[in-house]
Amino acid sequence: MAENATAQERLFALRAQIARLEGKSLPALAAAEQAQAAENPECEKAKIKQLRLPFGIDPLDVALEGGLPLDGITEVRTRLMGDAGAASGFTFALVSHLKGREVSGGPVLWIGDAVSRQETGAPYAPGLRQFGLKPHEVLYASPRKLDEALWLAETALASRALSATILEIRGNLKNFGLTESRRLNLRTKAAGRPLFLLRHAGEEEASSASFRFLAEPAPASGRRLPDGTMLGGSIGHPVFRLTLEKSRNPAPLSFLLEWNPHDRQFSLNSKAGEFLSLRTPPAHSGTGLPASADRQDRTPALGHIVAFERAS
Amino acid sequence: MRLTALDEVSERFGLRRGQGLAEARAMFPAIDVVDEDEAADQALLEAIADWCDRYTPLVALDRPDGLFLDITGCAHLFGGEEVLLKDILGRLFQMGFDAKGAISSSPGLSWAVCRFGRGGVIPHDNIEEVLAPLPVNALRLDMAAVSSLHKLGLKRIGDLLSMPRAPLARRFGTGLLQRLDQALGLNEEAISPRRPVAALSVERKLADPIQAEEHILQLTGQVAASLKPGLEARGVGGRVFELVLFRVDGRVFRVLVRASQPLRDPKRISSLFSERLAAVHDDLDAGFGFELLRLNVIEHELFKASQGDFTGDGEGDASFADFVDKVSARFGASCLQIAELRQSHLPERAEDFAPAMAARVVGENVEEAFAFVPKADRPLRLFRYPEPIEAFAATVPDGPPQRFRWRRIVHRVVRAEGPERISPEWWLDGKDTEERDYFRLESEAGRRFWIFREGRYKSGKAAPIWRIHGILA
């Protein structure tokens, strides 16, 4: 009897450890929470609200298990430097959305990269204001080296004084690998403040980010006229083509997301006809290998292994 | 060329300052001559003055080869004037300087006794006795006055003291009497210290020199703790702190940190220094160690005490200020900036950056009421310098281009909004500056750009230049 109890104890401890590693709540605690939630739904909602940043779009929030984590890293990457507008737009939209929900006070820290600043410009305060972020709410840091940027990010998270930190980097850097990302992730967990990693022109790489989006530009929605119709040829609210590359959900999601800066709200752009779809198939039909979905990295496209001649 | 300084041996041979070099060479062909380097002499004097900070904060230079120390209220800390003077001269001797010193109630008297007398501590009651046998040169007079005094047979100060003052003033001007009064201590003479005196200052003398950074920081924390009562008594907190480290061999290091808010907390003060020391790590050569450590409060401000509550909500502001201070101490104040809106239609002048340290209230909305709010959309990212682009097939006179090439890539424009005409600020840029027509463009790929045309299409003139100024989300 006693042996049985000890075994149970060990089993429970192991389960708890695995749950902690995976960032989930304990199975027993989760069951208790569910029971509580059934009794008092408001309380449960409030709890999720504290830890997660929902988009307010049901299919997306389900895929994200309630929203972006407020105590973790969210990565936004682009394939090309030229897509920096979409990626920074989406990141600032996320931060603005976060500020709009008043989850936590304090300014936002932008840790910029010197080369990206020359390539695609520096964040512009009047533009940010139209995006929903007031000028005095954003601090700009301009570190000279990556070490300094990482130190800044870590200190910012540890201080808990900033409601969000955005770290802008360029490409896949040797000095910013899994170790550094794990270290930052631990900081975010301890501080309960989010870190948004904006990676320009970068490949997918293993990191501690809870979610990774691939941001690509998409045609903006038109300006809405008072009678509800769209003004043809106008450039209205920005739209981003996003692919959720890394998440617990095995199937990568691709969708068009529209940001409304006035209401600080996201909405799915249904006009383009693309609602929620799988990612685009690889460019070369020769890739017959099955996509390994539940990995941190997927099989590279065939073109990476065999150099095809350019068709045109 | 003349001799300006001599060493002990050559002095013994009978060479004098001011003697011609040729004459000296004729007398002693074997002498070594080194060119005078005034800058180096000056630097050495400054370094010694720095070192003398350990005795008093009021150290003044007496060029070219002297220092004035105002030791009012300091002597007792070293065990009296005699001991203090012995200590200074002894330490200077150890470093290899042949220095003379005197302590008296006035700078003029000390100068005279030091250079023409035996030095030492001069008691208050027999100033005239000490002064009387000294030559008139000891009064810091110019050469003309000295030589005319000599002509009249007035060779010693004692001769002047016994004379009536009015004829002296008429014959030699008031300068002589002023110097005489200064030497006698009748006329107050102020020395001009090199550095501002710290409002508060605490120091720790070490029997055993320390070298390690963590020891310095630990000690800084302890010293800062003893600074706290002083700050509390005045109701202030420090904004600028200076850590002065005296190395065993006489070199002095000064580390300055600034805080964005008045500080009292020893922990936060020493954490500022820990960031700063990490930044200046390579410049701080500990050598054989530091023997004296002093913490100065250079600037202080009224401390707004706020009562903490049990929930700990009030810590947000403090930790934010702490973060700003840490970053500024490590990477400099310009690393962390905050944008302020300005009243200008020109995009590049509509924002201005200030160090987050200087912006005292980050959370408050001060500028908002005055800022100009553009009606049209502004880009999310702005180039510091607008980059030229090649625009093709632009609608003349004031339409957007159909295509444009930027950084060797041709973008096809699908949608365009504009123009938004922005006139130049002639009061700053002059009258010849062209106006700008801004367009928001969307390319085929969905990228959005903010471009402008500088000037207009005019017949008979070159086509205006197109530039890209920003990127829209």
Side-chain angles (χ1 to χ4, degrees), chain A residues 53-56 68 91-103 131-133 259 263-266:
Chain A
L53 175 71
F55 278 90
L68 295 179
T91 314
F92 275 120
L94 283 176
V95 172
S96 180
H97 186 54
L98 173 70
K99 292 290 284 184
R101 293 172 57 85
E102 293 291 330
V103 176
F131 229 64
L133 281 169
W259 167 246
D263 301 342
R264 291 187 176 187
Q265 266 184 349
F266 287 104

Side-chain angles (χ1 to χ4, degrees), chain A residues 106-129:
Chain A
V108 175
L109 177 69
W110 165 269
I111 305 172
D113 171 51
V115 178
S116 308
R117 183 199 182 101
Q118 301 211 328
E119 288 275 315
T120 65
Y124 183 49
L128 282 182
R129 193 160 93 156

Side-chain angles (χ1 to χ4, degrees), chain B residues 432 434 455-464:
Chain B
D432 299 336
E434 299 275 11
R456 296 183 217 176
Y457 286 102
K458 283 177 196 162
S459 59
K461 283 199 175 179

Side-chain angles (χ1 to χ4, degrees), chain B residues 304-317:
Chain B
K304 260 191 264 169
S306 58
Q307 191 171 13
D309 49 12
F310 291 117
T311 55
D313 283 344
E315 297 203 346
D317 289 342

